[in-house]
Amino acid sequence: MDKKSKKTVGIAVVLVMIFMGIIIVLNKASVQRALKSINSEYSGGLDRTVTVYDYDGNEITQYTGKIDIEDTETGGKVKFDLDGKRTIIYGGIVIVQEN
């Protein structure tokens, strides 16, 4: 094998290794969640259903549509936008499911 062929094979091996590394990284669940969050942020939300229950487990209301949820870890509140309108829920049990 001459030098040019060896160089070509070496480049091909490096490119395959880089490609495989990218595939491995992108298939991690945490990366998939991050990409979904970015998609939600820039596309105005994901198709979701938000169901609100009282503390006895009775359903109070339900929202369905392209919903962008804002993460709020404090104060027991959930904030989201649906059809251009802001909804803030204080208290209760809130379950968000992707459709």
Side-chain angles (χ1 to χ4, degrees):
M1 210 185 259
D2 64 347
K3 283 187 173 185
K4 189 174 184 178
S5 296
K6 287 182 182 180
K7 186 176 181 178
T8 303
V9 169
I11 290 172
V13 168
V14 169
L15 289 175
V16 167
M17 290 175 66
I18 290 171
F19 180 72
M20 293 299 292
I22 290 171
I23 288 174
I24 289 168
V25 168
L26 290 179
N27 279 329
K28 291 183 70 171
S30 60
V31 174
Q32 292 296 321
R33 284 189 296 272
L35 290 173
K36 189 166 279 199
S37 293
I38 291 168
N39 180 34
S40 176
E41 178 73 25
Y42 290 101
S43 68
L46 299 174
D47 185 30
R48 295 178 166 139
T49 298
V50 176
T51 308
V52 182
Y53 298 92
D54 66 17
Y55 290 112
D56 292 324
N58 302 310
E59 183 177 319
I60 297 171
T61 189
Q62 189 175 75
Y63 306 91
T64 301
K66 195 169 186 179
I67 298 173
D68 182 34
I69 304 265
E70 181 178 321
D71 295 331
T72 55
E73 302 267 334
T74 60
K77 84 177 169 182
V78 175
K79 183 177 5 176
F80 62 89
D81 296 323
L82 174 63
D83 297 328
K85 297 180 182 176
R86 170 73 40 106
T87 301
I88 302 173
I89 301 169
Y90 294 95
I93 298 166
V94 180
I95 297 178
V96 179
Q97 293 178 310
E98 195 174 316
N99 298 330

